[in-house]
Each structure stands twice: as structure tokens, then as C-alpha cells.
Amino acid sequence: VKVLHLEADDPRRPAALHQLQTEARLLGRLNHPHIIRAFDFDDDARMPYLVLECLDGGSLHDLIQRSGRVQPEPARALLRQATEGLAALWDLGYVHRDVKPGNILLDRAGR
């Protein structure tokens, strides 16, 4: 669950709320095996939130920290999956602005 933890008078709040709303709308339009699914969203004035699919495999960053490196074949598979997801965003006219290992989430099977 992503929750916006900024006070109502915080000057960063309007931009952060807009970003959360945009993410919720975008994820609501997507149904792709390599993009996390959104299940619920509420832009409640006190505590806006976005409920996302739970992936229990950690992130690519976590995998690299545990193993030291990812072998070439699994790395290629992960890269292919990530680029397919990014291409689906691109097809809708969006660009992910924060692609990094910590934002590439994995399921238990390592997908």
C-alpha cells in the first residue's frame, strides 16, 4: 500500500498527490504481466493511498545484494521483462522516470 504521508500544509503535497493520482489512473488502464497491478485508490484528503499487487520476491536491488551479481541468462530474462513493461507504458504515452533496481519488483519465482 502506497500512502501519501505529507501534511496538508506541506508545499510538496499537491505535486505528490497529483503523481499518486496519475499512477493510479495509469495502472488502472494497464493489464500487463510485467507491470504491477493496482487494486484500489482513494484520494482521501487526510491520507490518500494506492493499493498495489503484493510481490513477495523483493526487488532486483535485493537480489543483487543477496547474490552479489545476477548471472547472464537470468539477467537477460529480467531485462527483457522490464523492457516489455516499460514498452507497455510507452505505448500509452508514459515514461517511467525512476527506473532502478529498487523499483524492479520480483515475485517468488524471480519474474
Side-chain angles (χ1 to χ4, degrees), residues 2 14-30 38 41 43 50 89 92-95 97:
K2 276 189 168 181
L17 180 57
H18 176 74
Q19 184 175 344
L20 189 66
Q21 291 166 330
T22 300
E23 183 176 357
R25 280 192 301 274
L26 175 61
L27 290 175
R29 293 174 54 198
L30 282 167
F41 171 72
D43 57 359
L50 175 60
L89 290 173
L92 290 177
Y94 289 90
V95 175
R97 300 179 310 164

Side-chain angles (χ1 to χ4, degrees), residues 76-87:
R76 275 192 285 279
L78 291 171
L79 182 59
R80 180 188 49 77
Q81 293 168 38
T83 56
E84 287 175 2
L86 292 168

Side-chain angles (χ1 to χ4, degrees), residues 34 59-60 63-64 70-85 104-107 109-111:
H34 303 305
S59 68
L60 179 56
L63 177 64
I64 293 167
V70 180
Q71 295 301 313
E73 206 46 50
R76 275 192 285 279
L78 291 171
L79 182 59
R80 180 188 49 77
Q81 293 168 38
T83 56
E84 287 175 2
I104 298 175
L105 304 178
L106 310 171
D107 64 14
R111 292 182 300 263

